[in-house]
Amino acid sequence: MKFNPAVSVESINAMSKNTLMELLDIECIEVGDDYIKAKMPVDSRHHQPYGLLHGGASVVLAETLGSVAAHCSVDSTNFYCVGLEVNANHIRSVRSGYVYGVTTPIHLGKSTQVWEIKITNEEGKLVCISRITIAILEKK
């Protein structure tokens, strides 16, 4: 699998302007043949009341990565991608620093895609594992 040729770190970051991704400082940092990697800071904007990374912030990172990857893998002049289901298992807490998410494809069908997202801390330890199912819809 390869992403569309125009996909780059810069093009993905440009899509984030004036969105939740910009608000949470989610930044794409790497694009490979079949993966996208992003980072997100962990600070008070991302905390739950105990001062830990909010599980919802992890899910935002995961859904962003899976949705963007799906978008980058289809002909976006004729199709668009929307999330059908996202799940997450929160494995380890984080109080500060950065988390890193990497998404890779599990299934790339004509009408659905499934992407896995692994979120790790700065030491490379697993923080959250997530999976998103995407619907591929035709533009009319």
Side-chain angles (χ1 to χ4, degrees):
M1 191 223 86
K2 284 196 176 241
F3 292 115
N4 297 327
V7 173
S8 66
V9 168
E10 295 79 17
S11 68
I12 291 171
N13 286 330
M15 292 187 328
S16 297
K17 297 295 180 199
N18 300 312
T19 68
L20 181 60
M21 289 78 75
E22 184 176 54
L23 183 68
L24 293 180
D25 280 337
I26 295 172
E27 178 186 358
C28 177
I29 58 173
E30 191 175 333
V31 176
D33 287 344
D34 68 345
Y35 72 92
I36 296 175
K37 183 175 184 177
K39 69 178 184 175
M40 180 177 72
V42 179
D43 59 36
S44 61
R45 295 169 299 163
H46 308 86
H47 285 166
Q48 42 89 309
Y50 299 122
L52 303 172
L53 174 63
H54 193 293
S58 294
V59 174
V60 169
L61 176 57
E63 184 157 357
T64 297
L65 279 165
S67 296
V68 167
H71 167 80
C72 293
S73 71
V74 301
D75 173 6
S76 61
T77 59
N78 294 310
F79 299 94
Y80 64 102
C81 305
V82 296
L84 288 176
E85 188 270 344
V86 63
N87 67 59
N89 294 103
H90 307 290
I91 309 298
R92 178 174 279 107
S93 63
V94 178
R95 291 187 178 276
S96 62
Y98 280 88
V99 291
Y100 299 86
V102 177
T103 188
T104 55
I106 294 172
H107 165 74
L108 299 174
K110 289 183 180 183
S111 61
T112 62
Q113 295 184 358
V114 179
W115 292 82
E116 177 182 76
I117 303 92
K118 290 183 179 176
I119 299 173
T120 57
N121 63 16
E122 292 176 313
E123 291 79 39
K125 293 182 179 176
L126 189 63
V127 170
C128 176
I129 182 104
S130 184
R131 188 177 62 229
I132 186 168
T133 303
I134 302 285
I136 310 301
L137 303 173
E138 191 170 358
K139 290 182 178 178
K140 297 185 180 190

mmCIF file of all heavy atoms in Angstrom, residues 34-61:
data_model
loop_
_atom_site.group_PDB
_atom_site.id
_atom_site.type_symbol
_atom_site.label_atom_id
_atom_site.label_comp_id
_atom_site.label_asym_id
_atom_site.label_seq_id
_atom_site.Cartn_x
_atom_site.Cartn_y
_atom_site.Cartn_z
ATOM 1 N N ASP A 34 3.236 3.001 4.361
ATOM 2 C CA ASP A 34 1.966 2.475 4.876
ATOM 3 C C ASP A 34 1.698 2.893 6.321
ATOM 4 O O ASP A 34 0.985 2.225 7.051
ATOM 5 C CB ASP A 34 1.929 0.953 4.762
ATOM 6 C CG ASP A 34 2.908 0.269 5.696
ATOM 7 O OD1 ASP A 34 3.823 0.953 6.225
ATOM 8 O OD2 ASP A 34 2.761 -0.941 5.917
ATOM 9 N N TYR A 35 2.268 4.012 6.751
ATOM 10 C CA TYR A 35 2.011 4.497 8.112
ATOM 11 C C TYR A 35 2.120 6.012 8.163
ATOM 12 O O TYR A 35 2.746 6.645 7.302
ATOM 13 C CB TYR A 35 2.984 3.869 9.122
ATOM 14 C CG TYR A 35 4.398 4.391 9.001
ATOM 15 C CD1 TYR A 35 4.827 5.482 9.757
ATOM 16 C CD2 TYR A 35 5.303 3.809 8.122
ATOM 17 C CE1 TYR A 35 6.117 5.966 9.645
ATOM 18 C CE2 TYR A 35 6.593 4.288 7.995
ATOM 19 C CZ TYR A 35 7.001 5.371 8.765
ATOM 20 O OH TYR A 35 8.276 5.855 8.638
ATOM 21 N N ILE A 36 1.485 6.569 9.179
ATOM 22 C CA ILE A 36 1.618 7.990 9.492
ATOM 23 C C ILE A 36 1.910 8.089 10.985
ATOM 24 O O ILE A 36 1.302 7.382 11.792
ATOM 25 C CB ILE A 36 0.350 8.784 9.132
ATOM 26 C CG1 ILE A 36 0.112 8.748 7.622
ATOM 27 C CG2 ILE A 36 0.444 10.228 9.628
ATOM 28 C CD1 ILE A 36 -1.184 9.402 7.184
ATOM 29 N N LYS A 37 2.838 8.965 11.339
ATOM 30 C CA LYS A 37 3.210 9.172 12.741
ATOM 31 C C LYS A 37 2.956 10.628 13.105
ATOM 32 O O LYS A 37 3.260 11.531 12.335
ATOM 33 C CB LYS A 37 4.690 8.830 12.959
ATOM 34 C CG LYS A 37 5.145 8.956 14.401
ATOM 35 C CD LYS A 37 6.583 8.479 14.555
ATOM 36 C CE LYS A 37 7.014 8.501 16.008
ATOM 37 N NZ LYS A 37 8.392 7.974 16.172
ATOM 38 N N ALA A 38 2.402 10.820 14.299
ATOM 39 C CA ALA A 38 2.140 12.170 14.806
ATOM 40 C C ALA A 38 2.536 12.231 16.270
ATOM 41 O O ALA A 38 2.670 11.206 16.944
ATOM 42 C CB ALA A 38 0.670 12.532 14.628
ATOM 43 N N LYS A 39 2.691 13.464 16.754
ATOM 44 C CA LYS A 39 2.973 13.650 18.178
ATOM 45 C C LYS A 39 1.960 14.630 18.742
ATOM 46 O O LYS A 39 1.373 15.447 18.026
ATOM 47 C CB LYS A 39 4.400 14.140 18.408
ATOM 48 C CG LYS A 39 4.674 15.549 17.936
ATOM 49 C CD LYS A 39 6.116 15.941 18.263
ATOM 50 C CE LYS A 39 6.386 17.390 17.890
ATOM 51 N NZ LYS A 39 7.723 17.821 18.306
ATOM 52 N N MET A 40 1.744 14.507 20.048
ATOM 53 C CA MET A 40 0.830 15.390 20.768
ATOM 54 C C MET A 40 1.443 15.681 22.130
ATOM 55 O O MET A 40 1.859 14.755 22.832
ATOM 56 C CB MET A 40 -0.541 14.728 20.935
ATOM 57 C CG MET A 40 -1.565 15.578 21.679
ATOM 58 S SD MET A 40 -3.196 14.782 21.783
ATOM 59 C CE MET A 40 -2.862 13.474 22.980
ATOM 60 N N PRO A 41 1.490 16.956 22.534
ATOM 61 C CA PRO A 41 2.000 17.246 23.873
ATOM 62 C C PRO A 41 0.995 16.778 24.924
ATOM 63 O O PRO A 41 -0.187 16.596 24.637
ATOM 64 C CB PRO A 41 2.125 18.772 23.878
ATOM 65 C CG PRO A 41 1.138 19.243 22.871
ATOM 66 C CD PRO A 41 1.058 18.161 21.832
ATOM 67 N N VAL A 42 1.496 16.573 26.112
ATOM 68 C CA VAL A 42 0.625 16.275 27.249
ATOM 69 C C VAL A 42 0.825 17.401 28.246
ATOM 70 O O VAL A 42 1.872 17.512 28.884
ATOM 71 C CB VAL A 42 0.951 14.907 27.887
ATOM 72 C CG1 VAL A 42 0.037 14.646 29.077
ATOM 73 C CG2 VAL A 42 0.835 13.790 26.857
ATOM 74 N N ASP A 43 -0.177 18.277 28.328
ATOM 75 C CA ASP A 43 -0.157 19.394 29.272
ATOM 76 C C ASP A 43 -1.575 19.592 29.793
ATOM 77 O O ASP A 43 -2.436 18.734 29.571
ATOM 78 C CB ASP A 43 0.436 20.655 28.627
ATOM 79 C CG ASP A 43 -0.312 21.133 27.394
ATOM 80 O OD1 ASP A 43 -1.561 21.018 27.346
ATOM 81 O OD2 ASP A 43 0.342 21.642 26.462
ATOM 82 N N SER A 44 -1.831 20.689 30.455
ATOM 83 C CA SER A 44 -3.133 20.876 31.110
ATOM 84 C C SER A 44 -4.308 20.793 30.140
ATOM 85 O O SER A 44 -5.402 20.392 30.532
ATOM 86 C CB SER A 44 -3.157 22.219 31.854
ATOM 87 O OG SER A 44 -2.975 23.295 30.942
ATOM 88 N N ARG A 45 -4.107 21.126 28.872
ATOM 89 C CA ARG A 45 -5.189 21.012 27.880
ATOM 90 C C ARG A 45 -5.591 19.563 27.625
ATOM 91 O O ARG A 45 -6.687 19.291 27.156
ATOM 92 C CB ARG A 45 -4.762 21.630 26.542
ATOM 93 C CG ARG A 45 -4.524 23.119 26.580
ATOM 94 C CD ARG A 45 -3.858 23.573 25.311
ATOM 95 N NE ARG A 45 -2.561 22.908 25.169
ATOM 96 C CZ ARG A 45 -1.874 22.825 24.040
ATOM 97 N NH1 ARG A 45 -2.352 23.346 22.935
ATOM 98 N NH2 ARG A 45 -0.696 22.236 24.004
ATOM 99 N N HIS A 46 -4.705 18.638 27.919
ATOM 100 C CA HIS A 46 -4.897 17.220 27.616
ATOM 101 C C HIS A 46 -5.169 16.386 28.860
ATOM 102 O O HIS A 46 -5.325 15.178 28.762
ATOM 103 C CB HIS A 46 -3.651 16.678 26.911
ATOM 104 C CG HIS A 46 -3.229 17.489 25.734
ATOM 105 N ND1 HIS A 46 -2.408 18.590 25.858
ATOM 106 C CD2 HIS A 46 -3.548 17.395 24.423
ATOM 107 C CE1 HIS A 46 -2.215 19.125 24.651
ATOM 108 N NE2 HIS A 46 -2.902 18.424 23.767
ATOM 109 N N HIS A 47 -5.227 17.026 30.021
ATOM 110 C CA HIS A 47 -5.371 16.308 31.292
ATOM 111 C C HIS A 47 -6.823 16.074 31.677
ATOM 112 O O HIS A 47 -7.701 16.863 31.358
ATOM 113 C CB HIS A 47 -4.730 17.111 32.432
ATOM 114 C CG HIS A 47 -3.248 17.064 32.435
ATOM 115 N ND1 HIS A 47 -2.499 17.932 33.190
ATOM 116 C CD2 HIS A 47 -2.359 16.279 31.786
ATOM 117 C CE1 HIS A 47 -1.217 17.674 33.010
ATOM 118 N NE2 HIS A 47 -1.110 16.679 32.156
ATOM 119 N N GLN A 48 -7.028 15.016 32.439
ATOM 120 C CA GLN A 48 -8.271 14.838 33.190
ATOM 121 C C GLN A 48 -8.007 15.389 34.594
ATOM 122 O O GLN A 48 -6.893 15.848 34.867
ATOM 123 C CB GLN A 48 -8.731 13.368 33.138
ATOM 124 C CG GLN A 48 -7.637 12.322 33.296
ATOM 125 C CD GLN A 48 -7.367 11.929 34.709
ATOM 126 O OE1 GLN A 48 -7.161 12.765 35.568
ATOM 127 N NE2 GLN A 48 -7.327 10.637 34.935
ATOM 128 N N PRO A 49 -9.004 15.406 35.479
ATOM 129 C CA PRO A 49 -8.832 16.075 36.776
ATOM 130 C C PRO A 49 -7.679 15.579 37.653
ATOM 131 O O PRO A 49 -7.214 16.313 38.523
ATOM 132 C CB PRO A 49 -10.177 15.842 37.475
ATOM 133 C CG PRO A 49 -11.148 15.734 36.350
ATOM 134 C CD PRO A 49 -10.393 15.004 35.261
ATOM 135 N N TYR A 50 -7.175 14.355 37.452
ATOM 136 C CA TYR A 50 -6.065 13.844 38.260
ATOM 137 C C TYR A 50 -4.699 14.237 37.714
ATOM 138 O O TYR A 50 -3.674 13.790 38.217
ATOM 139 C CB TYR A 50 -6.144 12.324 38.380
ATOM 140 C CG TYR A 50 -7.399 11.838 39.053
ATOM 141 C CD1 TYR A 50 -8.249 10.959 38.395
ATOM 142 C CD2 TYR A 50 -7.738 12.265 40.336
ATOM 143 C CE1 TYR A 50 -9.417 10.518 39.003
ATOM 144 C CE2 TYR A 50 -8.909 11.830 40.945
ATOM 145 C CZ TYR A 50 -9.731 10.953 40.277
ATOM 146 O OH TYR A 50 -10.888 10.518 40.876
ATOM 147 N N GLY A 51 -4.681 15.059 36.657
ATOM 148 C CA GLY A 51 -3.411 15.492 36.082
ATOM 149 C C GLY A 51 -2.786 14.485 35.138
ATOM 150 O O GLY A 51 -1.599 14.578 34.819
ATOM 151 N N LEU A 52 -3.593 13.527 34.685
ATOM 152 C CA LEU A 52 -3.118 12.509 33.745
ATOM 153 C C LEU A 52 -3.689 12.779 32.362
ATOM 154 O O LEU A 52 -4.724 13.436 32.217
ATOM 155 C CB LEU A 52 -3.578 11.116 34.195
ATOM 156 C CG LEU A 52 -3.173 10.671 35.593
ATOM 157 C CD1 LEU A 52 -3.864 9.370 35.954
ATOM 158 C CD2 LEU A 52 -1.664 10.531 35.686
ATOM 159 N N LEU A 53 -3.031 12.242 31.338
ATOM 160 C CA LEU A 53 -3.537 12.334 29.977
ATOM 161 C C LEU A 53 -4.965 11.798 29.924
ATOM 162 O O LEU A 53 -5.232 10.675 30.349
ATOM 163 C CB LEU A 53 -2.644 11.532 29.025
ATOM 164 C CG LEU A 53 -3.105 11.404 27.574
ATOM 165 C CD1 LEU A 53 -3.170 12.767 26.897
ATOM 166 C CD2 LEU A 53 -2.161 10.472 26.813
ATOM 167 N N HIS A 54 -5.882 12.601 29.443
ATOM 168 C CA HIS A 54 -7.296 12.222 29.319
ATOM 169 C C HIS A 54 -7.420 11.165 28.227
ATOM 170 O O HIS A 54 -6.853 11.317 27.137
ATOM 171 C CB HIS A 54 -8.110 13.457 28.960
ATOM 172 C CG HIS A 54 -9.576 13.293 29.102
ATOM 173 N ND1 HIS A 54 -10.315 12.448 28.303
ATOM 174 C CD2 HIS A 54 -10.449 13.861 29.956
ATOM 175 C CE1 HIS A 54 -11.580 12.517 28.649
ATOM 176 N NE2 HIS A 54 -11.691 13.364 29.665
ATOM 177 N N GLY A 55 -8.148 10.103 28.506
ATOM 178 C CA GLY A 55 -8.355 9.061 27.510
ATOM 179 C C GLY A 55 -8.985 9.597 26.237
ATOM 180 O O GLY A 55 -8.678 9.135 25.137
ATOM 181 N N GLY A 56 -9.843 10.601 26.371
ATOM 182 C CA GLY A 56 -10.455 11.208 25.197
ATOM 183 C C GLY A 56 -9.438 11.897 24.311
ATOM 184 O O GLY A 56 -9.569 11.899 23.083
ATOM 185 N N ALA A 57 -8.404 12.475 24.892
ATOM 186 C CA ALA A 57 -7.349 13.101 24.088
ATOM 187 C C ALA A 57 -6.587 12.041 23.303
ATOM 188 O O ALA A 57 -6.249 12.243 22.133
ATOM 189 C CB ALA A 57 -6.401 13.903 24.986
ATOM 190 N N SER A 58 -6.348 10.893 23.932
ATOM 191 C CA SER A 58 -5.710 9.780 23.211
ATOM 192 C C SER A 58 -6.576 9.327 22.044
ATOM 193 O O SER A 58 -6.070 9.046 20.952
ATOM 194 C CB SER A 58 -5.464 8.590 24.150
ATOM 195 O OG SER A 58 -4.518 8.914 25.135
ATOM 196 N N VAL A 59 -7.880 9.272 22.271
ATOM 197 C CA VAL A 59 -8.799 8.849 21.207
ATOM 198 C C VAL A 59 -8.827 9.885 20.083
ATOM 199 O O VAL A 59 -8.909 9.523 18.907
ATOM 200 C CB VAL A 59 -10.203 8.539 21.764
ATOM 201 C CG1 VAL A 59 -11.189 8.255 20.643
ATOM 202 C CG2 VAL A 59 -10.138 7.354 22.718
ATOM 203 N N VAL A 60 -8.747 11.162 20.428
ATOM 204 C CA VAL A 60 -8.674 12.193 19.384
ATOM 205 C C VAL A 60 -7.432 11.972 18.527
ATOM 206 O O VAL A 60 -7.499 12.030 17.293
ATOM 207 C CB VAL A 60 -8.687 13.615 19.987
ATOM 208 C CG1 VAL A 60 -8.348 14.659 18.921
ATOM 209 C CG2 VAL A 60 -10.034 13.927 20.605
ATOM 210 N N LEU A 61 -6.299 11.719 19.151
ATOM 211 C CA LEU A 61 -5.069 11.448 18.401
ATOM 212 C C LEU A 61 -5.244 10.213 17.519
ATOM 213 O O LEU A 61 -4.900 10.228 16.333
ATOM 214 C CB LEU A 61 -3.884 11.282 19.352
ATOM 215 C CG LEU A 61 -2.541 10.899 18.718
ATOM 216 C CD1 LEU A 61 -2.106 11.914 17.661
ATOM 217 C CD2 LEU A 61 -1.486 10.739 19.804
#
